[in-house]
Amino acid sequence: MRDLAWGIAATGGIARTVGAVIAAEPGMRVAAVGSRDLGRAKALAATLGAGSAHGSYAELCADPAVDAVYVATPHAQHLEVAEAAIAAGKAVLCEKPLAATVADAERMVRLAREAGVFLMEAMWTRFSPLIRMLAADERFGEIRSVRAAFGFAHPYDPAHRLWAPELGGGALLDLGIYPMGLAQLFLGQPESMSFTGSLAPSGVDAEAGGLMRYPGGARALVECSLLAGYANDASVVGTGMRADIDAPFWAPRRVVLSRPGMEPEEHVLGDPAENGYAGELREVRDCLARGRTESEVMPLDESLAMMRLLAEARAQLR
């Protein structure tokens, strides 16, 4: 089976990071890089050993040497790139959140399903070996509580993508999706939720905290902030056992399991490179090899459900 040839859309930090993982992963290579700035595309292409560089995302998606497109643009541009890739029949791995709005995400999923083209949200936490281990551990019993927070202080700059509404800025879309995503993995869809927080001068959410309620009284306490630093750890508590997840909980290197009468059980990530990025890339490759157009690990319906939860949380802050 020939190498899976990737096209990388954008040249920012996450594009460089994931591009390096692709270049190092057996059975994969970076075939092309696309950017609105051809010079930046050429520079990253040279770094990653890609054969082509394009000065537009449309050209990247049309490149016959590309099998799959990794979308690493700001959130508000996800639909544009994914739509072009889907129209060209390219598999799409799109950075989280899937889109900047529910409507954009719904359109992406509809287009992919109608065309029979693979689409997956690049939620690397779902592919963390330690998180997957926890999700499969039946010793938890019934999950009663999830607690997670992600926050750091970022200088306010209305032109920066984190603060600019036209780029899909705000704490919830960039950071809140991680604690909410952990709750989604362990508890599913909430029956209700209550969020509070504050807005930046640009109008995007600067911080948010929420209580999410689930059937039978289970709950999740989630927080995110662009104004202050948090411990960035998490816990999952069940009737049979609890897990304390070290920071950064979205890509942990250590978790500790405990319960009454049990010596704490420590699990450490053996290979730091197995941080979730490689896992999501392998999932794309394996799904394509099996002829699947959706992932069972990160289903599109769950990506859509998360977009709706994020939209509701953002609306409650206003």
Side-chain angles (χ1 to χ4, degrees):
M1 183 177 179
R2 68 182 180 87
D3 288 354
L4 181 63
W6 287 88
I8 299 180
T11 58
I14 190 64
R16 293 192 297 270
T17 297
V18 175
V21 176
I22 293 171
E25 183 69 17
M28 298 186 196
R29 61 186 175 87
V30 179
V33 176
S35 171
R36 291 173 174 172
D37 183 327
L38 181 57
R40 290 174 63 90
K42 287 181 176 179
L44 183 56
T47 298
L48 299 176
S52 301
H54 301 284
S56 76
Y57 299 131
E59 290 177 8
L60 173 73
C61 294
D63 189 332
V66 170
D67 301 318
V69 175
Y70 169 60
V71 182
T73 62
H75 314 325
Q77 297 167 12
H78 286 183
L79 174 60
E80 171 197 344
V81 183
E83 190 166 358
I86 291 166
K90 315 292 187 181
V92 178
L93 176 64
C94 184
E95 258 311 319
K96 58 82 202 154
L98 194 59
T101 67
V102 173
D104 282 3
E106 289 176 339
R107 178 170 174 80
M108 287 168 61
V109 172
R110 178 176 60 79
L111 290 172
R113 286 174 169 169
E114 288 176 352
V117 172
F118 182 87
L119 171 65
M120 187 182 85
E121 182 181 19
M123 188 65 174
W124 61 324
T125 302
R126 288 280 181 121
F127 299 91
S128 158
L130 292 179
I131 296 297
R132 295 188 74 169
M133 178 198 74
L134 295 180
D137 198 324
E138 297 181 351
R139 293 178 296 171
F140 278 105
E142 183 182 3
I143 303 296
R144 302 304 303 160
S145 172
V146 172
R147 177 200 57 79
F150 185 2
F152 57 80
H154 193 282
Y156 178 71
D157 176 359
H160 192 280
R161 69 170 188 84
L162 287 174
W163 299 105
E166 67 275 13
L167 296 177
L172 278 162
L173 285 181
D174 238 272
L175 310 184
I177 189 172
Y178 286 111
M180 292 173 71
L182 192 71
Q184 182 187 49
L185 177 61
F186 284 96
L187 288 169
Q189 188 71 6
E191 290 184 328
S192 64
M193 60 186 202
S194 302
F195 273 77
T196 186
S198 66
L199 302 180
S202 61
V204 303
D205 42 283
E207 59 185 349
L211 176 63
M212 306 171 73
R213 306 173 188 87
Y214 300 82
R219 61 226 162 265
L221 179 62
V222 298
E223 294 184 89
C224 60
S225 177
L226 292 171
L227 300 178
Y230 284 73
N232 296 335
D233 58 0
S235 64
V236 178
V237 181
T239 53
M241 185 175 67
R242 69 173 284 142
D244 292 292
I245 307 171
D246 280 4
F249 75 84
W250 53 90
R253 296 184 180 179
R254 176 179 176 270
V255 301
V256 177
L257 306 179
S258 60
R259 62 182 174 186
M262 164 187 169
E263 284 294 317
E265 185 179 297
E266 182 183 67
H267 295 266
V268 178
L269 188 66
D271 181 358
E274 295 293 329
N275 56 15
Y277 290 133
E280 63 190 20
L281 294 165
R282 293 168 192 158
E283 176 72 358
V284 176
R285 178 196 61 201
D286 294 347
C287 284
L288 293 178
R290 300 196 307 269
R292 297 185 59 87
T293 57
E294 298 189 25
S295 167
E296 293 180 347
V297 181
M298 187 66 256
L300 289 176
D301 284 342
E302 293 193 20
S303 294
L304 289 176
M306 178 55 61
M307 286 301 309
R308 296 177 184 122
L309 292 176
L310 288 165
E312 181 180 344
R314 295 170 80 192
Q316 288 184 12
L317 300 189
R318 288 162 172 76

